[in-house]
Amino acid sequence: MASSNAMPIFFLLALLFGASSAQLSETFYDRTCPRLPNIVRAAVKKAIETDIRAGAKLIRLHFHDCFVNGCDGSVLLEDAPGIVSELNSPGNQGIQGLEIVDAIKAAVESECPNIVSCADILAQASKDSVDVQGGPSWRVLYGRRDSRIANKTGADSGLASPFETLVQLKKKFSDVGLGTTDLVALSGAHTFGRSRCRFFSHRFANFNNTGRPDPSLDANYRGFLEGVCSAGADTRANFDPTTPDVFDKNYYTNLQAGKGLLQSDQELFSTAGADTIAIVNSFAAREGTFFKEFRQSMINMGNIKPLTGSRGEIRRNCRRVNSATGGEGHDVM
């Protein structure tokens, strides 16, 4: 009797998980916009040629999109009647790159009007940002649709902060269905890009009200950063002091040397007894291991609660919801 009941339950579970994984597909635009990967890649390369930080900007937008209500393009929505933008959240303070998304969207729309969502553009552009600058490549899954609402409250509470402990970081990743390996792998995106001094200068003195600097920050590196930040709180420093514009494993070797720029970076290696230490060491030892886990974690993150089917819309302007009359607009009804 037990075995006869197990079979239909097994098939039911298989169908449920199959339906979930089938929501997004590599072939979603094969007929409607077959050149999408080429269009986006060309636009991303052009952006990086004129702004070396473009790739880091794009991948940050994708991260901050997926961690709030799932990967639905909501991070791109600006203030409008009925919409309080997620861009107003402290976690999105100083976030950049909307004009790059606009340029990519325009290039896609010129060939495939009203077909490709802004959420899918972020996913594709993030992949291209990584592999154009030396990192791994992967097959992007498509089929996301764009939200008609933003969630500033969710951004306030759900986005990881540079001031957080490992326990807090793990909680935020767990809340969206991502695990410890995802946390360490996705943090590796800080192998390129910059951060403003206001997000790490608290480590220089009186760290956590101790009257001393952050002990996990290498003293020589701290002195270098203090010199950089003497120009002001909005001065930017490279996440990776060794190869700042290349996507490689040096983020992890930097952590081993006490040269993680943000507190939240160094927490991965310097939290006593943490299970993340072994993962950092494995990624630092072999770049291929990091690349393999990073591509899988990007796919995992891109699968967070996408809007599919008839939910949401395909925005004509990534910064605004579509109007009821069929053009760009601000209405949310």
Side-chain angles (χ1 to χ4, degrees):
M1 292 296 293
S3 60
S4 65
N5 289 333
M7 190 63 71
I9 292 174
F10 172 81
F11 279 119
L12 176 60
L13 289 173
L15 286 171
L16 287 173
F17 282 109
S20 175
S21 62
Q23 286 183 323
L24 302 179
S25 167
E26 293 179 6
T27 60
F28 188 82
Y29 295 115
D30 278 5
R31 293 186 178 182
T32 56
C33 194
R35 285 194 350 101
L36 174 65
N38 295 334
I39 298 168
V40 175
R41 185 179 181 83
V44 169
K45 288 184 69 175
K46 182 178 179 181
I48 292 173
E49 287 169 1
T50 57
D51 175 8
I52 194 61
R53 295 173 51 227
K57 292 175 183 179
L58 289 167
I59 200 168
R60 186 184 181 203
L61 284 169
H62 185 40
F63 275 38
H64 286 214
D65 182 31
C66 292
F67 270 73
V68 181
N69 283 13
C71 308
D72 62 358
S74 62
V75 71
L76 302 171
L77 288 172
E78 296 179 327
D79 283 335
I83 292 178
V84 179
S85 176
E86 294 169 20
L87 298 171
N88 298 324
S89 171
N92 284 323
Q93 183 181 2
I95 199 167
Q96 298 178 321
L98 268 69
E99 75 287 349
I100 305 172
V101 177
D102 291 342
I104 299 171
K105 177 67 169 174
V108 172
E109 287 291 304
S110 68
E111 183 160 331
C112 312
N114 305 324
I115 296 295
V116 182
S117 69
C118 300
D120 276 349
I121 284 174
L122 285 181
Q124 179 67 44
S126 294
K127 190 278 292 185
D128 293 325
S129 297
V130 169
D131 70 17
V132 164
Q133 292 184 252
S137 184
W138 59 92
R139 295 292 298 274
V140 177
L141 303 179
Y142 306 112
R144 303 167 191 82
R145 288 170 64 85
D146 297 321
S147 174
R148 291 178 58 81
I149 59 171
N151 184 2
K152 180 183 178 295
T153 300
D156 291 345
S157 62
L159 295 177
S161 161
F163 311 107
E164 288 181 330
T165 66
L166 181 57
V167 170
Q168 292 170 315
L169 294 169
K170 282 187 171 185
K171 173 66 164 55
K172 288 186 175 177
F173 273 67
S174 176
D175 285 347
V176 295
L178 299 177
T180 299
T181 299
D182 295 313
L183 166 60
V184 181
L186 293 174
S187 295
H190 283 175
T191 189
F192 62 3
R194 316 281 190 269
S195 179
R196 289 187 289 171
C197 290
R198 66 173 66 251
F199 296 122
F200 57 84
S201 58
H202 68 290
R203 305 179 70 197
F204 298 164
N206 197 29
F207 179 69
N208 288 347
N209 296 315
T210 61
R212 298 185 299 275
D214 183 348
S216 69
L217 181 61
D218 176 79
N220 291 330
Y221 186 46
R222 184 182 75 240
F224 167 75
L225 292 174
E226 287 178 313
V228 171
C229 294
S230 64
D234 287 326
T235 306
R236 297 182 187 275
N238 295 322
F239 273 115
D240 179 357
T242 52
T243 52
D245 301 320
V246 178
F247 197 98
D248 56 24
K249 70 179 180 65
N250 286 350
Y251 170 80
Y252 302 101
T253 57
N254 291 333
L255 297 186
Q256 291 174 322
K259 295 181 179 180
L261 185 63
L262 304 180
Q263 175 187 342
S264 55
D265 291 322
Q266 196 61 47
E267 289 275 340
L268 301 178
F269 187 75
S270 296
T271 301
D275 55 354
T276 53
I277 296 172
I279 304 173
V280 169
N281 287 336
S282 70
F283 291 172
R286 187 170 183 274
E287 192 164 77
T289 302
F290 164 45
F291 281 6
K292 177 183 176 181
E293 295 295 346
F294 183 82
R295 67 168 63 96
Q296 184 58 56
S297 291
M298 285 295 291
I299 293 170
N300 294 345
M301 185 182 74
N303 279 330
I304 297 173
K305 296 190 298 184
L307 296 176
T308 57
S310 61
R311 296 183 299 161
E313 65 181 14
I314 305 300
R315 275 190 232 134
R316 297 170 182 83
N317 180 335
C318 289
R319 305 192 194 205
R320 297 176 174 83
V321 299
N322 296 338
S323 71
T325 57
E328 299 171 7
H330 296 281
D331 71 295
V332 293
M333 299 303 291

